[in-house]
Amino acid sequence: MSDLLRRLGGLALLVVALALPLVLNDFWLQTGLFVMAAAIGAVGLTLLVGVAGQLSLGHAAFAAIGAYVYAWSTGETTTSVTGAGLPPAVGLALAALVAAGVGAAFSPVAGRLRGIYLGLATLGLVFIVRHLLLNLTDWTGGFTGRSVESFALGGFSFSNSDPDYLAVGGVEFEGLHRLWYLFLLLAVVACWLAGNLRASRTGRAWANVRDSETAAAAMGIGVARAKAAAFVVSSAYAGTAGAMLALAYGRVAPDVFSLTASVDFLVMIVLGGLGSVAGAVVGALFVTALPLVLAEYSSALPFLAAPGSGGLDPSTASRIVYGLAIIAVLVFLRGGLAGAGRRLRHRLGGGGPSGDAGTTDPDTSGPGPTGRTAPASGTTDPSTPDGSHPAAVTHPRSKETTR
Amino acid sequence: MSYFLTQVLNGLSYGLVLSLIAAGFAIVFTSTGVLNFAHGSIVLLGAYLVAVLHPTIGFWPAMLVALFGAALVGVLINALLVRNLADPTPGAAAILMLGVDIVLLTELTRRIGNQVLPVGAPWGASVVRFGEIALPTGRVVAAGVTVVAFAALWYLFSRTDLGVGMRAAAADGPTASLMGIRLSRTAATGWALAGVLAAVAGVFLTSFPSPGVAPTVALSAFAAIPAWVLGGFDSVPGAVVGGLLIGLTSALVTGYEGDLEHFLGTGFGEVAPYVVMIVVLLVRPSGLLGSKEAVRV
């Protein structure tokens, strides 16, 4: 029942997303592209941090690798930078693969460390990658970066030309419109894969590693291997997101992939609720769109001053708002927006009662063993008004809590 | 030779300042288990307070206010936010501190703007000479103050009831609590100590040879993270060792950049600490002097 509702809701959202380019102007289209690119990165990070429990501050480094691999492999050799001139589709695949490869190369570290220790080690990655971007000028263009070839597939270009004129329903489809559909396809596939991965044997093994490495090892899960796998998958997502960001900007530069970008990815998944794919997408929407929208409409908002005038400028305002949002979510909202949504559904009686609160549920990710979290989801059920669907029968996944 | 010695002494004195910051990370981590990502902005806050107040009330009173201010902010962060986390795990606490850091740093950046505020330290831009080697007086004072600060910390942790209580609380919170140690008090003391150390470090980081207080100071406090990790997460002596090693590494790499440029690239001095950190974490995941984490089932 609730699954059906959720699917219908998802379908409705998808239809809306498909129709949006018909009505949006360039600013909103551009914002949408950034949101979708960020969403893919956030989904990858939520698999690593939320599901597998490995804190990473190096997500921007992998996104940078993806972006530059795409820029280099599809770019042409010019006087200032080299390029391989490969087809863009190959470049996109390479971006994900190379980022995953670097993730794999880093996995000896990832496999040995955990939690905040890993977070600190990955912090180093951001600085090292930034150093490489600044110094390998033949490939990266140095501080100013390099421009990015637009995406094309079989003669159809995702830019303003080739075909020069394309219209759907009377709206001319320019590069932004075309990229919108490409990004939407990638985002939907990425979310679908992530959702399935989370629910699969692999995802449950990761969640077990997060809850207790010792318990996971006792159940026959290769802990180091599981952590390395989570790292590789999340890096591939980051690489894809990086390549998409490069496409959306039309240019890559080291400053896009600073430590701030890493923190932004973390903020997205925390606001949305650790481990929740939908939450990561909502978080990406909030974090990415807020500064852009505030900047665009700053003249219409009375409390904002123009940048540089000494008052509260839009970028400062948005940073303070989302700093406060992180604090508020962590102090008041268990499990972020996704957790709040789940509780709301539960209270309204329409949602599947605690079926989601199985082993893959992030907001039960205490330091303790998995067993401790099971009663919490069980005991809330009988108190629902109708009480007609106890957890144990409505959802096949809830079996795992008693295992 | 004297160039080499200058670099070494520069590195060691800078390393001592880093070790003040690193010790702040270590003390907060042992007393409350929080990875304090907002420590950099507390360093900046301390320096900012001195820079704003010293023209009116003089350097030393301003310094006193800064010490209290930074300590108070730390204590408040702990009491109002960390203790009220909906989901009190180390990961959630670390991300909470990222949020606090964003708010604090954005507000301070907005207040400072594009200016570089001088801290008005009484030693100014003077230089001390030892034979052929010249060192900024600020660095010499920093080294002296740091040595005194660490001696005071050693006395606190080994000779006073409060310090012993803090060590007991860090070793085993519930048991310490049963023995009559108030965990809320040890935690608050830890945060206050870290704040004081941060403010002191902030003033030394922003006085000569640095031009003054600018938002980038918070970032240079990030360079203390490798120092902390290197020494061991829960070890104050480790913070000193780590700070000295990192200070020396970055001073030498920066000092000999001309020779290293061909294969390391420009600006490697900023990255070297992180490379050292990752290598150490690979070989010794709990740092040089940190206690090995026991796994309890």
Side-chain angles (χ1 to χ4, degrees):
Chain A
M1 169 68 190
S2 80
D3 248 20
L4 185 67
L5 267 181
R6 188 174 300 169
R7 283 198 187 150
L8 281 179
L11 205 61
L13 272 179
L14 189 60
V15 169
V16 170
L18 281 171
L20 273 176
L22 295 171
V23 291
L24 293 183
N25 62 18
D26 281 0
F27 164 74
W28 286 102
L29 282 174
Q30 185 86 49
T31 305
L33 295 184
F34 288 135
V35 168
M36 286 188 271
I40 289 187
V43 167
L45 189 61
T46 213
L47 287 176
L48 180 66
V49 181
V51 178
Q54 310 298 310
L55 183 63
S56 167
L57 281 162
H59 215 52
F62 294 106
I65 290 167
Y68 276 89
V69 165
Y70 178 81
W72 177 82
S73 59
T74 62
E76 301 294 335
T77 303
T78 63
T79 49
S80 54
V81 289
T82 60
L86 294 171
V90 178
L92 192 58
L94 270 183
L97 283 177
V98 173
V102 177
F106 194 68
S107 65
V109 182
R112 279 179 72 101
L113 304 171
R114 63 176 134 154
I116 60 167
Y117 305 86
L118 180 60
L120 290 168
T122 52
L123 181 73
L125 266 188
V126 178
F127 290 93
I128 293 170
V129 165
R130 188 187 153 80
H131 180 72
L132 292 177
L133 295 185
L134 288 174
N135 281 286
L136 300 174
T137 45
D138 281 354
W139 294 345
T140 64
F143 182 74
T144 50
R146 63 182 292 171
S147 63
V148 174
E149 292 288 315
S150 55
F151 197 76
L153 204 58
F156 180 82
S157 166
F158 291 77
S159 64
N160 289 347
S161 55
D162 228 3
D164 290 340
Y165 185 76
L166 173 75
V168 176
V171 179
E172 187 183 346
F173 268 35
E174 293 176 330
L176 290 176
H177 300 76
R178 300 175 197 178
L179 271 181
W180 177 286
Y181 289 106
L182 174 69
F183 279 25
L184 191 61
L185 175 72
L186 288 172
V188 168
V189 169
C191 291
W192 177 70
L193 281 178
N196 280 355
L197 183 62
R198 208 186 82 150
S200 74
R201 192 179 164 81
T202 311
R204 298 204 305 266
W206 292 358
N208 204 340
V209 169
R210 172 198 70 205
D211 290 336
S212 165
E213 289 190 5
T214 316
M219 286 185 191
I221 297 167
V223 171
R225 211 187 136 144
K227 289 199 281 191
F231 221 86
V232 169
V233 170
S234 136
S235 308
Y237 270 83
T240 313
M244 291 165 72
L245 274 178
L247 279 171
Y249 276 111
R251 192 164 182 85
V252 282
D255 277 355
V256 178
F257 305 102
S258 59
L259 181 62
T260 320
S262 271
V263 174
D264 285 352
F265 278 123
L266 261 184
V267 172
M268 291 170 200
I269 64 171
V270 171
L271 290 184
L274 282 176
S276 156
V277 173
V281 175
V282 175
L285 176 69
F286 178 78
V287 170
T288 315
L290 181 72
L292 295 173
V293 172
L294 280 182
E296 176 78 1
Y297 294 100
S298 61
S299 53
L301 297 169
F303 59 90
L304 289 181
S309 68
L312 193 63
D313 65 79
S315 70
T316 306
S318 58
R319 283 199 76 73
I320 289 190
V321 166
Y322 84 68
L324 291 176
I326 304 168
I327 298 172
V329 164
L330 283 169
V331 174
F332 298 114
L333 278 185
R334 254 180 92 85
L337 295 174
R342 205 164 354 188
R343 280 193 299 278
L344 191 67
R345 274 203 305 279
H346 188 231
R347 193 163 300 165
L348 295 176
S354 74
D356 262 355
T359 44
T360 49
D361 189 343
D363 71 1
T364 53
S365 65
T370 30
R372 201 194 289 165
T373 60
S377 56
T379 47
T380 48
D381 276 313
S383 63
T384 48
D386 47 7
S388 59
H389 36 242
V393 287
T394 46
H395 206 294
R397 248 193 276 158
S398 54
K399 257 189 282 176
E400 288 153 23
T401 54
T402 55
R403 191 173 59 184
Chain B
M1 189 62 200
S2 70
Y3 180 73
F4 174 75
L5 276 180
T6 313
Q7 295 308 321
V8 167
L9 286 179
N10 253 323
L12 290 178
S13 59
Y14 173 62
L16 280 172
V17 178
L18 282 186
S19 65
L20 281 177
I21 306 175
F25 278 110
I27 291 172
V28 165
F29 186 73
T30 44
S31 58
T32 48
V34 175
L35 169 50
N36 186 5
F37 277 119
H39 204 54
S41 15
I42 295 180
V43 170
L44 179 62
L45 174 76
Y48 172 77
L49 284 176
V50 175
V52 171
L53 294 175
H54 85 264
T56 44
I57 59 175
F59 177 79
W60 294 109
M63 185 79 219
L64 211 60
V65 174
L67 293 183
F68 272 108
L72 185 69
V73 168
V75 171
L76 286 180
I77 289 173
N78 180 47
L80 299 179
L81 302 177
V82 176
R83 288 166 63 90
N84 289 318
L85 269 178
D87 180 24
T89 59
I95 297 168
L96 173 79
M97 297 319 294
L98 282 174
V100 174
D101 185 56
I102 290 174
V103 173
L104 263 180
L105 188 58
T106 311
E107 178 57 17
L108 285 170
T109 307
R110 186 177 78 81
R111 283 169 180 274
I112 297 169
N114 295 328
Q115 320 162 52
V116 177
L117 309 170
V119 279
W123 51 85
S126 60
V127 168
V128 181
R129 293 193 177 277
F130 308 96
E132 288 172 51
I133 302 156
L135 268 187
T137 313
R139 286 285 171 81
V140 179
V141 178
V145 169
T146 309
V147 170
V148 172
F150 279 114
L153 279 182
W154 172 83
Y155 181 80
L156 174 77
F157 283 125
S158 58
R159 293 284 186 275
T160 64
D161 284 353
L162 184 65
V164 173
M166 287 179 71
R167 277 166 49 209
D172 186 346
T175 309
S177 181
L178 289 172
M179 299 293 142
I181 291 165
R182 284 169 65 168
L183 296 186
S184 59
R185 191 170 289 172
T186 55
T189 316
W191 278 84
L193 271 179
V196 168
L197 294 177
V200 174
V203 170
F204 287 127
L205 275 182
T206 52
S207 60
F208 186 78
S210 144
V213 182
T216 49
V217 171
L219 259 188
S220 56
F222 257 88
I225 289 187
W228 167 48
V229 176
L230 202 60
F233 292 93
D234 51 0
S235 162
V236 174
V240 182
V241 174
L244 289 175
L245 270 177
I246 293 295
L248 206 55
T249 310
S250 49
L252 288 180
V253 172
T254 314
Y256 288 93
E257 187 162 16
D259 303 328
L260 299 169
E261 209 170 45
H262 297 298
F263 57 102
L264 290 178
T266 46
F268 193 73
E270 285 169 32
V271 190
Y274 296 96
V275 177
V276 175
M277 174 179 82
I278 291 183
V279 171
V280 169
L281 275 179
L282 261 179
V283 183
R284 287 185 66 101
S286 48
L288 294 175
L289 298 182
S291 50
K292 198 161 182 293
E293 196 184 3
V295 179
R296 296 193 185 85
V297 182

